[in-house]
Amino acid sequence: SVSSPAVVVAPAAPQADAASAQVPPPPLGASPPSSGAIRFGLAGIKGVGELAARRIIEECAARGPYRDFHDFMLRVDLRAINKRVLECLVLTGAFDFSGGVREEIHALIDSSLAAMLELQRKYPALRPPDPEPTAAAAAAAAAKADQGAMLFDLDEHAGNATPPPREQLEREYQQFMRVSSSGKGRLAAAPMAPPSASQSQDTGMFDLGETAPAAKKVAAAAGPKVEARVVHESTRLQIEKELLGFYVSGHPMDAYAGLAEALDTYTPEELLQQGDREEFRLCGIVSGIQKKLSKKDNRPWSPFTLSTRRNALQLNMFADAYAAYGKHLVENTTVMVAGNVIVGQDGPRINVKECYPLDAAVASNIKKVCFVLKSDHPELVGFLNLLRETLNKYSGDSKVELALLLEDRVAPVAEISNALNWKVYGKAFQPLRKHPAVAGLIVETRTLELKQDRRWGDKKARG
């Protein structure tokens, strides 16, 4: 888990010496790792592509690093950078360096593109020069010109108008971004504070942290149509995995640290070494779901992958279990599965008999949490206050105990009143687990007991 940018918009680093020149060049846009940052080739981001990456890097190399998202918009070649490219850059953290929140910057993409179109309409010289036309294209353009001028030529009054100084251009960009906040224009954006007189061309003109409330959506001609994407904090990691191929700024199982390990009866490596019919319980992330039909009775079943923080296992949910728990099999969701190992001639197979959303499984299977506290820690009272707030907010059936660490030995345990039993919730549990006054944890879980398979004979007898 890291808090640094997932992607850094920067040109590739130059070769250091003759020896390093013999090494194959890094991916486009990549550069050597630096402290506190992760470098990733721009062309390696799904949806960006090599042409867009080259244009971004060329501009960066020519006029220096980008200050923020808005500076990027004012400088980039919009023929190569459409809405889809901007979405992919923002959602993989390319602008995290500016201090802006990904979800808030993403909400500004439509209005930023519309504002740039307005600026280019007003100042045609801002439009990047078109590539040299082929002979056929030139002939077609001449033939079209002979047919007469367009009925409405919005740029006729501007001609080759030279853009104003950079500071004025940025001010006009902000004005276009503000138009729709009053509902009077065709742009749609959140209001942006105008720059103060003390701000110069060399300083950051835009504070994304202050000017990025959710923007209204617009139907602007800003590149090919893309699927609507629900973007908020809870989907950030899922989008990173989709666009980069792996998690960068965190991991979905982080919210269950200390709890998932207590629920797991075996690690993935240990599970594959167990004997036939050995039962297990394991927490992880669902992916690679396949839906198949049984050859025996044409009932649906599913093989899928369950990933923990460090391993991935191939599991099978056969027809009976699929009928009861298949609704919980959703791509990139966290679950707790239970079942048994079937050892055959081809090796062990993992058979899933039960599957539950992990939040619900944690709440129902954690019997007791004992916090081992540092008795002399100055923030001990702060922990107790935080614990009380959490217990009041999440009432449930799990017990809570406290133990004080005295001279490197645990003192007698104090059990908190049953009136303060709580529902263990992963995200609320983590601040308690990580509190500096906590020396350790003892988590007690319910014993694994699989539900009994329903037999046809039993059903017939009950009938």
Side-chain angles (χ1 to χ4, degrees), residues 191-423:
M192 297 180 65
S196 63
S198 61
Q199 288 177 310
S200 68
Q201 179 176 345
D202 296 329
T203 59
M205 301 291 292
F206 307 99
D207 185 353
L208 301 184
E210 296 179 0
T211 62
K216 301 175 184 178
K217 295 182 179 180
V218 292
K225 183 178 179 181
V226 297
E227 294 182 2
R229 185 190 299 274
V230 178
V231 178
H232 45 74
E233 186 178 355
S234 65
T235 62
R236 174 182 295 195
L237 294 175
Q238 180 179 339
I239 293 172
E240 279 184 3
K241 181 70 178 296
E242 174 190 341
L243 298 179
L244 296 176
F246 49 85
Y247 302 110
V248 176
S249 59
H251 193 280
M253 294 300 293
D254 288 345
Y256 306 97
L259 299 173
E261 293 84 353
L263 289 172
D264 294 346
T265 53
Y266 299 102
T267 65
E269 300 93 338
E270 294 171 342
L271 182 58
L272 292 174
Q273 299 173 5
Q274 300 306 308
D276 189 39
R277 303 296 172 177
E278 179 68 18
E279 297 180 348
F280 75 93
R281 183 170 59 197
L282 188 64
C283 305
I285 307 165
V286 174
S287 64
I289 301 171
Q290 304 176 51
K291 293 185 179 179
K292 299 187 176 184
L293 295 177
S294 170
K295 295 180 180 179
K296 180 179 179 181
D297 51 15
N298 210 36
R299 298 172 66 198
W301 67 284
S302 177
F304 64 96
T305 299
L306 187 74
S307 300
T308 64
R309 287 295 301 265
R310 295 177 176 82
N311 305 91
L313 278 177
Q314 188 67 31
L315 311 181
N316 296 308
M317 182 183 285
F318 293 114
D320 286 344
Y322 189 84
Y325 302 101
K327 61 185 178 181
H328 299 317
L329 277 187
V330 180
E331 286 284 340
N332 299 312
T333 58
T334 52
V335 299
M336 183 193 79
V337 297
N340 58 14
V341 180
I342 301 176
V343 180
Q345 295 180 349
D346 298 330
R349 291 184 301 163
I350 313 301
N351 176 30
V352 173
K353 292 190 172 185
E354 301 175 25
C355 176
Y356 305 96
L358 190 48
D359 280 330
V362 166
S364 60
N365 285 280
I366 300 296
K367 291 180 61 177
K368 181 168 60 180
V369 178
C370 178
F371 294 95
V372 182
L373 306 177
K374 304 172 185 177
S375 58
D376 57 351
H377 198 281
E379 298 184 40
L380 179 59
V381 174
F383 168 82
L384 296 176
N385 290 332
L386 176 62
L387 177 62
R388 180 57 188 262
E389 292 174 6
T390 305
L391 299 183
N392 288 340
K393 187 174 182 180
Y394 300 99
S395 60
D397 299 323
S398 300
K399 295 181 179 294
V400 181
E401 292 181 344
L402 300 177
L404 292 179
L405 193 62
L406 301 173
E407 298 180 356
D408 296 330
R409 298 182 64 186
V410 178
V413 175
E415 183 174 314
I416 295 179
S417 168
N418 289 338
L420 292 177
N421 284 359
W422 67 319
K423 177 181 179 180

Side-chain angles (χ1 to χ4, degrees), residues 42 48-57 76 80-81 85:
L42 292 177
V48 173
E50 186 169 338
L51 175 61
R54 287 192 182 281
R55 293 292 184 267
I56 294 170
I57 294 169
V76 78
I81 312 295
V85 172

